[in-house]
Amino acid sequence: MAESSLRDKKKLATRKALAEAAFELAAERGADGFVVEDIVTKAGYSRRTFANYFSCKEEAIANSLHLEDYLESDEHYAFSTKEHTPLSTIEIYIRRSFTINKLKRLKGLISLSREYPALRLYVTGALMEMQDFAGRGISEEYGDAYPKEYYHILIGAVFGAILPVLDESFDVHLPEDEETGNEFNQYMDTVFAHLRKGFS
């Protein structure tokens, strides 16, 4: 069991290293400015190893989203959902998980996907995976206390409010660091105030 767990951690570390190298190269050179050989050289792995994890460089770039980083369960942040509604639970998750660096990574990926259509499918898939995970989690937590469609509509509304900020179709600036004023948090205050009126 411990050996299997160690193997899984090594696989995850390898996957992350390759994806991170791909994203860094895309940010520096554009998605068309490098090949898989550049990724494996930068990450220190072989092309064969790359092929074990990704089908192409676009998939590797999109996987730099590192979904598990947004879904980490930290006991320090543990709270009882019995005292919360699905909406307030999602609000807590968003505010704790979406740090400035993570928001900037999301924004960077979406920006790259607009510029390079071959990347768009993979980035959209990664974002959908995040949304689906959140939907499943909230549905499992609250079960049949709410109608099944409630969770789907709720998650769609929350993510639908965040994505226009990340794709820059709605002008909300992300601060340079956690210490400066956070316009995104102010925007989320407004979003959840409106959502509470309809998701009581």
Side-chain angles (χ1 to χ4, degrees), residues 86-87 90-91 93-94 98 127-139 147-166 187-188 191-192 195 199:
L87 178 62
I90 288 293
E91 182 175 6
Y93 161 74
I94 294 291
F98 283 65
L127 291 169
M128 286 181 65
E129 186 181 349
M130 179 182 287
Q131 187 170 335
D132 289 347
F133 183 93
R136 285 194 308 273
I138 206 77
S139 176
K148 188 176 178 182
E149 65 273 12
Y150 175 92
Y151 305 115
H152 177 75
I153 296 167
L154 170 61
I155 296 296
V158 172
F159 277 81
I162 293 172
L163 288 177
V165 173
L166 300 175
Y187 171 71
M188 293 313 294
V191 167
F192 281 103
L195 291 176
F199 286 93

Side-chain angles (χ1 to χ4, degrees), residues 70-85:
Y70 290 78
L71 309 174
E72 291 169 328
S73 59
D74 187 334
E75 289 189 15
H76 175 70
Y77 290 136
F79 65 96
S80 171
T81 55
K82 292 177 183 175
E83 301 168 5
H84 294 276
T85 64

Side-chain angles (χ1 to χ4, degrees), residues 45-82:
Y45 292 96
S46 68
R47 188 177 179 102
R48 183 181 213 173
T49 299
F50 180 92
N52 288 335
Y53 292 91
F54 304 113
S55 62
C56 60
K57 67 179 181 179
E58 289 82 8
E59 184 181 8
I61 295 167
N63 273 268
S64 71
L65 184 60
H66 301 321
L67 182 60
E68 64 279 357
D69 290 346
Y70 290 78
L71 309 174
E72 291 169 328
S73 59
D74 187 334
E75 289 189 15
H76 175 70
Y77 290 136
F79 65 96
S80 171
T81 55
K82 292 177 183 175

Side-chain angles (χ1 to χ4, degrees), residues 76-131:
H76 175 70
Y77 290 136
F79 65 96
S80 171
T81 55
K82 292 177 183 175
E83 301 168 5
H84 294 276
T85 64
L87 178 62
S88 62
T89 298
I90 288 293
E91 182 175 6
I92 291 166
Y93 161 74
I94 294 291
R95 292 187 187 277
R96 290 179 178 173
S97 299
F98 283 65
T99 63
I100 299 306
N101 287 337
K102 290 175 184 177
L103 284 166
K104 286 182 176 179
R105 172 59 58 96
L106 277 166
K107 191 172 182 177
L109 280 169
I110 291 169
S111 177
L112 280 166
S113 73
R114 280 202 321 265
E115 196 171 344
Y116 302 98
L119 181 58
R120 190 171 300 141
L121 176 66
Y122 296 98
V123 171
T124 300
L127 291 169
M128 286 181 65
E129 186 181 349
M130 179 182 287
Q131 187 170 335

Side-chain angles (χ1 to χ4, degrees), residues 172-196:
V172 174
H173 299 287
L174 300 180
E176 290 304 311
D177 55 53
E178 303 288 349
E179 302 301 317
T180 59
N182 194 333
E183 196 174 319
F184 178 78
N185 275 341
Q186 293 169 1
Y187 171 71
M188 293 313 294
D189 288 342
T190 302
V191 167
F192 281 103
H194 284 301
L195 291 176
R196 274 190 288 274

